[in-house]
Amino acid sequence: MNPNTLAARLPVFTWDRIAPLREKAGLHPNGPVDLSMGTPVDPVPDVIRGALAAASDAPGYPATWGTVELRTAAAGWLARAQGVSVSPDDVLPVIGTKEFIAWLPVMLGLGPGDVMVHPALAYPTYDIGARLAGATAVASDWPLADWPSGAGSPAGAGSPAGAADRGAGRVKLVWVNSPSNPTGRVLSAGQLRTVVERAAEHGAVVASDECYITLGWETTPVSVLHPEVCGASRAGVLAVHSLSKRSNLAGYRAGFVTGDPALVADLLAIRKQAGMIMPGPVQGAMTAALEDESHAVAQRERYRRRRSVLRDAFVSAGWRIDHSEAGLYLWVTHPAHDCWSAAELLADQYGILVTPGELYGSAGSRHVRAALTATDERVAAAAGRLAEPRSG
């Protein structure tokens, strides 16, 4: 590969790294149980499929900004479900949130010399976004409590090495993710407020990835746009929402961003020029999904049942569950194994494929991530296997 190309900045694709584990799990005589990627397996609800079909006669170009109906539905859902009030004019559909996350640093103008902060354990696409922009990614939870006050501030306990040298003024973007992928950790309104306040001191944008916000099990997640977090001002704050998990629309690529009206307007201007447009039929389907809550309630209940079965099975087999109070995953550890040997054990002995925690950051070296996105039959199979005596 030419070292001067954009592709040369990128690491090995995350899911390619677990290909040997996938192959090993596939050798189980009763088939693998895939708890790795977190891709939905349940049917797309009829109300959404019907709306997609109804909007399918769409020969013209769709609007980058989205239809008024879609933006109104998104604003209405935020008000009902999250207690957040936004204008439909400040909603922008995105072609799945992954592309938005990957390209946000570029769209915000980050480049060499700029710093983007993301959680110490994080969805790999945050880091990819910094690489695409040529910016520096800092993987750390330090902004939650110890944001430096200026370029001369010493790097305190828990702050990233070299932060003082780079200068806090060069932090241009801070990602938060609550509930967390992979850990299921939930940040309080106070913690989120601290991030927003510290970012404002340095002119940094806060982007909150809220893709799992509807899946609170032991606590209720709060949006960064909630009045308890940012008050009446949305300046410098964005919230990103996905329908992949809530409505089983990963295959539709349906999400939206909202928040600071000036930032949303800038993003819209860029996306118009770049042709980042959600197809019209998908806009119709997404509108129906946001207006209907019954299918989301039913899907949440499916995940709740699967979570209970898997959690009990892991704990009974001698594993420990950390965090995991919300979201689509269990953050699992075993006292005798690091993340890779634990994943190897589960694949080899039980035909269960999980994700080694180190793929989300070095702090995940003792954990694996187990997704709740398998059918009821496969989840029951995993539980049954974990209850069996280990061979060897």
Side-chain angles (χ1 to χ4, degrees):
M1 180 182 294
N2 184 335
N4 297 317
T5 64
L6 185 59
R9 299 179 188 172
L10 306 179
V12 175
F13 185 56
T14 301
W15 302 112
D16 290 346
R17 295 182 62 186
I18 66 168
L21 294 170
R22 184 178 299 279
E23 182 177 352
K24 186 163 289 189
L27 298 176
H28 193 279
N30 293 317
V33 176
D34 190 347
L35 306 180
S36 62
M37 190 177 292
T39 186
V41 297
D42 299 302
V44 174
D46 289 342
V47 65
I48 301 173
R49 296 170 65 186
L52 181 75
S56 62
D57 185 13
Y61 292 110
T64 306
W65 197 11
T67 65
V68 172
E69 292 80 9
L70 170 55
R71 290 184 280 110
T72 300
W77 175 78
L78 282 170
R80 294 191 309 273
Q82 306 304 328
V84 169
S85 176
V86 301
S87 168
D89 290 346
D90 300 329
V91 172
L92 179 60
V94 297
I95 315 162
T97 54
K98 182 170 184 174
E99 65 89 358
F100 181 81
I101 290 168
W103 290 107
L104 182 61
V106 171
M107 291 189 287
L108 291 178
L110 272 71
D114 294 327
V115 175
M116 184 204 77
V117 179
H118 62 73
L121 286 165
Y123 183 46
T125 307
Y126 307 134
D127 173 74
I128 296 302
R131 291 170 185 257
L132 291 172
T136 299
V138 173
S140 176
D141 291 331
W142 65 279
L144 298 183
D146 298 314
W147 192 291
S149 60
S153 299
S159 59
D165 295 336
R166 286 193 294 269
R170 303 183 79 174
V171 175
K172 298 296 180 64
L173 173 61
V174 179
W175 276 106
V176 292
N177 176 214
S178 175
S180 162
N181 172 16
T183 69
R185 179 188 178 198
V186 173
L187 301 180
S188 68
Q191 289 173 312
L192 289 169
R193 186 167 56 250
T194 296
V195 176
V196 171
E197 291 172 349
R198 300 297 172 87
E201 293 173 5
H202 302 286
V205 171
V206 174
S208 179
D209 179 356
E210 301 181 356
C211 292
Y212 303 96
I213 199 166
T214 61
L215 299 175
W217 310 116
E218 300 168 17
T219 189
T220 302
V222 61
S223 172
V224 74
L225 298 179
H226 194 279
E228 291 184 8
V229 177
C230 63
S233 173
R234 307 277 162 68
V237 181
L238 295 169
V240 186
H241 290 274
S242 169
L243 276 74
S244 292
K245 310 307 191 291
R246 174 187 177 271
S247 302
N248 297 332
L249 294 188
Y252 284 42
R253 311 314 300 137
F256 68 91
V257 61
T258 188
D260 182 334
L263 286 176
V264 172
D266 285 350
L267 294 169
L268 173 60
I270 293 166
R271 294 174 73 84
K272 282 181 177 179
Q273 299 283 8
M276 294 177 171
I277 309 170
M278 178 183 289
V282 176
Q283 294 188 34
M286 185 173 166
T287 301
L290 288 165
E291 290 177 342
D292 180 74
E293 200 62 34
S294 61
H295 77 276
V297 171
Q299 186 60 46
R300 174 186 163 86
E301 177 59 20
R302 291 187 191 102
Y303 287 139
R304 186 199 63 76
R305 291 196 307 267
R306 292 166 186 168
R307 177 181 182 271
S308 179
V309 170
L310 285 172
R311 185 184 185 96
D312 290 350
F314 274 112
V315 171
S316 295
W319 301 72
R320 189 181 79 231
I321 311 296
D322 290 333
H323 298 303
S324 308
E325 57 260 32
L328 201 60
Y329 311 102
L330 295 176
W331 192 233
V332 186
T333 186
H334 192 287
H337 296 279
D338 66 17
C339 66
W340 288 101
S341 66
E344 183 86 12
L345 169 68
L346 289 167
D348 184 47
Q349 295 281 328
Y350 304 110
I352 298 173
L353 181 65
V354 296
T355 308
E358 197 172 55
L359 297 185
Y360 302 94
S362 59
S365 63
R366 299 293 305 181
H367 289 77
V368 297
R369 192 195 75 168
L372 309 182
T373 50
T375 64
D376 291 345
E377 183 275 330
R378 288 288 82 188
V379 167
R385 295 174 191 181
L386 287 168
E388 296 171 357
R390 284 171 50 189
S391 62

